[in-house]
C-alpha cells in the first residue's frame, strides 16, 4: 500500500479508501448493501490490516446507520485513533424539518455534532460537502466549514460533486478571507466515466486538491460480472439501480480492453479497473466498497498491480473521452508552432 498527501496538507492517505455505503441497508440504501455490525467490523478490520488508513462515510448513508456501524467497529477494534483517517459528509436530508438539508450554517453545525455522536468520535479528519446547494450562498458554507475546523471537530474540509467553477469560487473566497480551504474533491471517476478530466481534474491539479474517486467500478459494471447490452447477474446492485450513468458505447470498448489485460496478467477485471485509476497523477485515494471479505481482498490487491506502459496506453485509448469544446480547440491551438499561421 502506498500513501499520498491530502491536498496541500501534511496528512497522508492510503491510496485505497474503504467506503462504507454498504453498511446498514436502511431505506433507499438497502439496494447498495445491508451489512450488519459483525460484517462491518470484519471489513474494517480487513482493510486496516491491509494497509488502509482512510475510511469514508456520510450522514445520509442508511439514514445515519453507516456512521453508527463504523463508529462501533472502530471502538470494538480499538486501533490507535491517530492512525486512522475518518471522513464523512454533509448536505443530504437528515430529518423531516425544512432546515435538515443543504449547506446552510445551521445544517452544517447541527450535522457535524450528530455525525460525531454516531461515530463516537470527538473529531473527523475530513469533513466534505456532499454536493451543490442552490439555495445557500457558497460563502456561507465556506465560513461554516471554517468554524467546524476551528472548533476542532474536523481537521480538514473537502467537497464532492461540485462543478469546477463553484469549487474555484469557494477556494478563492477561502483564500481571500483566511478560511479553511477545500483539500479534496470526491468525484465520480472510473475508466468507464472519465468526464471529470475535462474541468475538475485540471482545476484540482492547479490548486493542489486531492481527487478521491467514488464508484470506481461504475456501480459494478466493471466488476467483471457484466456484459454490454445484457442483463446483469441476479441480485446485483446495478440491475436494480442504474447509477452512475455510463455510456454503453464506451463500455463496449472498455470491457474488452480490460479483459485483454486480464488475460495477460491474471488479474481480475475489477482489480485492473482500480489499478488504472491509480496510474492517474491527480488521484490520491480511490474509494472501494465491498459486501464480502473476498471482494475487499481482491480490490485491495489493486495496490500491488503494475501495468506496463503498453497496457496503460491500450486502456487509455479504449476509454478516451470524445472531443468536446473547448478541449478540441485548445488541442488544435497548442499543437501549432508559435509564429506559424494555421492553414
Amino acid at each position: 500500500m502506498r500513501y499520498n498527501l491530502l491536498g496541500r496538507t501534511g496528512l497522508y492517505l492510503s491510496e485505497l479508501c474503504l467506503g462504507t455505503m454498504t453498511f446498514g441497508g436502511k431505506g433507499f440504501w438497502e439496494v447498495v448493501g445491508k451489512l450488519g455490525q459483525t460484517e462491518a467490523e470484519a471489513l474494517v478490520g480487513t482493510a486496516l490490516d491491509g494497509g488502509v488508513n482512510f475510511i469514508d462515510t456520510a450522514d445520509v448513508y442508511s439514514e445515519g446507520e453507516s456512521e453508527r456501524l463504523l463508529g462501533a467497529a472502530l471502538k470494538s477494534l480499538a486501533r490507535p485513533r491517530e492512525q486512522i483517517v475518518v471522513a464523512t459528509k454533509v448536505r443530504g436530508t437528515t430529518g423531516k424539518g425544512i432546515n435538515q438539508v443543504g449547506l446552510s450554517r445551521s445544517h452544517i453545525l447541527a450535522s457535524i455534532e450528530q455525525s460525531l455522536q454516531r461515530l463516537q468520535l470527538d473529531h473527523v479528519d475530513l469533513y466534505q460537502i456532499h454536493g451543490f446547494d442552490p439555495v445557500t450562498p457558497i460563502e456561507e458554507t465556506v465560513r461554516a466549514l471554517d468554524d467546524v475546523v476551528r472548533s476542532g471537530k474536523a481537521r480538514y474540509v473537502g467537497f464532492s460533486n461540485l462543478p469546477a467553477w463553484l469549487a474555484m469560487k469557494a477556494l478563492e473566497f477561502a483564500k481571500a478571507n483566511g478560511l479553511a480551504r477545500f483539500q479534496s474533491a470526491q468525484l465520480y471517476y472510473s475508466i468507464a466515466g472519465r468526464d471529470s478530466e475535462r474541468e475538475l481534474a485540471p482545476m484540482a491539479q492547479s490548486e493542489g486538491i486531492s481527487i478521491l474517486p467514488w464508484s470506481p467500478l461504475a456501480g459494478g459494471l466493471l466488476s467483471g460480472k457484466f456484459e454490454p447490452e445484457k442483463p446483469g447477474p441476479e441480485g446485483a446492485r446495478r440491475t436494480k439501480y442504474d447509477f452512475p450513468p455510463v455510456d454503453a458505447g464506451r463500455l463496449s470498448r472498455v470491457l474488452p480492453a480490460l479483459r485483454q489485460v486480464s488475460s495477460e496478467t491474471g488479474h481480475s477485471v475489477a482489480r485492473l479497473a482500480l489499478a488504472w485509476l491509480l496510474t492517474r497523477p491527480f488521484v490520491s485515494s480511490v474509494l472501494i466498497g465491498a459486501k464480502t471479505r473476498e471482494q475487499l481482498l481482491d480490490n485491495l490487491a489493486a495496490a500491488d498491480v503494475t501495468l506496463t506502459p503498453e497496457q496503460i496506453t491500450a486502456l487509455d485509448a479504449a476509454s478516451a473521452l470524445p472531443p468536446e469544446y473547448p478541449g478540441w480547440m485548445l488541442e488544435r491551438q497548442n499543437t501549432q508552432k508559435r509564429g506559424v499561421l494555421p492553414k
Side-chain angles (χ1 to χ4, degrees):
M1 185 71 64
R2 292 173 291 269
Y3 300 85
N4 300 310
L5 287 170
L6 170 67
R8 291 178 179 168
T9 80
L11 184 71
Y12 280 95
L13 309 175
S14 52
E15 62 182 350
L16 295 175
C17 168
L18 178 64
T20 63
M21 203 163 60
T22 57
F23 293 7
K26 291 183 67 174
F28 157 81
W29 304 97
E30 181 180 10
V31 72
V32 179
K34 296 185 286 186
L35 302 185
Q37 188 60 52
T38 301
E39 298 92 338
E41 188 172 317
L43 288 184
V44 172
T46 297
L48 295 176
D49 290 342
V52 169
N53 77 340
F54 184 25
I55 305 177
D56 178 80
T57 185
D59 59 3
V60 292
Y61 293 167
S62 289
E63 301 173 7
E65 192 66 14
S66 174
E67 288 183 328
R68 291 189 192 95
L69 291 170
L70 174 57
L74 292 174
K75 185 174 182 179
S76 177
L77 292 167
R79 305 297 176 90
R81 174 66 181 92
E82 63 273 15
Q83 295 181 11
I84 304 172
V85 178
V86 178
T88 192
K89 310 181 197 74
V90 58
R91 190 250 173 257
T93 301
T94 56
K96 297 180 180 179
I98 193 171
N99 290 313
Q100 290 182 284
V101 63
L103 295 172
S104 68
R105 177 181 181 81
S106 174
H107 187 57
I108 288 173
L109 296 184
S111 293
I112 186 63
E113 297 286 357
Q114 293 160 7
S115 286
L116 292 177
Q117 184 177 19
R118 288 188 289 265
L119 288 164
Q120 302 183 57
L121 299 174
D122 62 4
H123 75 277
V124 292
D125 301 279
L126 180 63
Y127 199 44
Q128 305 156 105
I129 60 172
H130 211 162
F132 174 52
D133 178 356
V135 174
T136 306
I138 193 64
E139 294 84 357
E140 177 179 342
T141 299
V142 171
R143 285 196 183 277
L145 292 173
D146 181 72
D147 285 342
V148 172
V149 172
R150 290 179 187 274
S151 70
K153 294 168 185 173
R155 298 295 188 248
Y156 305 101
V157 295
F159 72 87
S160 181
N161 307 319
L162 291 188
W165 69 265
L166 186 57
M168 197 66 224
K169 183 177 180 179
L171 285 168
E172 286 302 307
F173 180 75
K175 180 179 179 181
N177 292 277
L179 306 175
R181 73 189 294 272
F182 291 143
Q183 300 292 353
S184 63
Q186 192 173 135
L187 312 172
Y188 168 57
Y189 184 46
S190 76
I191 193 171
R194 297 174 58 181
D195 303 73
S196 291
E197 292 179 7
R198 296 198 187 278
E199 298 287 345
L200 284 158
M203 181 276 294
Q205 283 187 293
S206 170
E207 301 305 312
I209 302 291
S210 290
I211 288 184
L212 315 173
W214 60 262
S215 201
L217 300 182
L221 285 177
L222 303 177
S223 64
K225 302 175 184 177
F226 287 80
E227 296 284 348
E229 308 296 339
K230 293 183 180 179
E234 185 77 22
R237 179 195 2 159
R238 189 78 198 198
T239 61
K240 300 178 182 178
Y241 186 50
D242 188 23
F243 183 82
V246 172
D247 179 81
R250 192 179 307 167
L251 185 66
S252 67
R253 298 188 299 272
V254 168
L255 280 176
L258 284 169
R259 290 201 171 99
Q260 175 60 39
V261 178
S262 178
S263 68
E264 295 170 4
T265 62
H267 294 302
S268 70
V269 167
R271 194 182 301 174
L272 292 171
L274 296 172
W276 178 85
L277 281 172
L278 294 176
T279 68
R280 306 296 96 178
F282 42 80
V283 168
S284 294
S285 186
V286 178
L287 277 72
I288 56 174
K291 295 181 182 178
T292 67
R293 185 172 183 272
E294 291 69 30
Q295 287 178 333
L296 179 58
L297 289 173
D298 184 74
N299 288 352
L300 290 175
D304 299 321
V305 174
T306 300
L307 296 171
T308 67
E310 294 75 19
Q311 290 166 342
I312 294 172
T313 297
L315 294 175
D316 286 352
S319 60
L321 291 170
E324 184 178 90
Y325 182 82
W328 56 258
M329 189 61 182
L330 298 177
E331 181 179 0
R332 177 181 173 84
Q333 289 175 325
N334 286 288
T335 55
Q336 298 168 0
K337 293 181 179 179
R338 289 187 181 275
V340 178
L341 293 175
K343 294 182 181 179

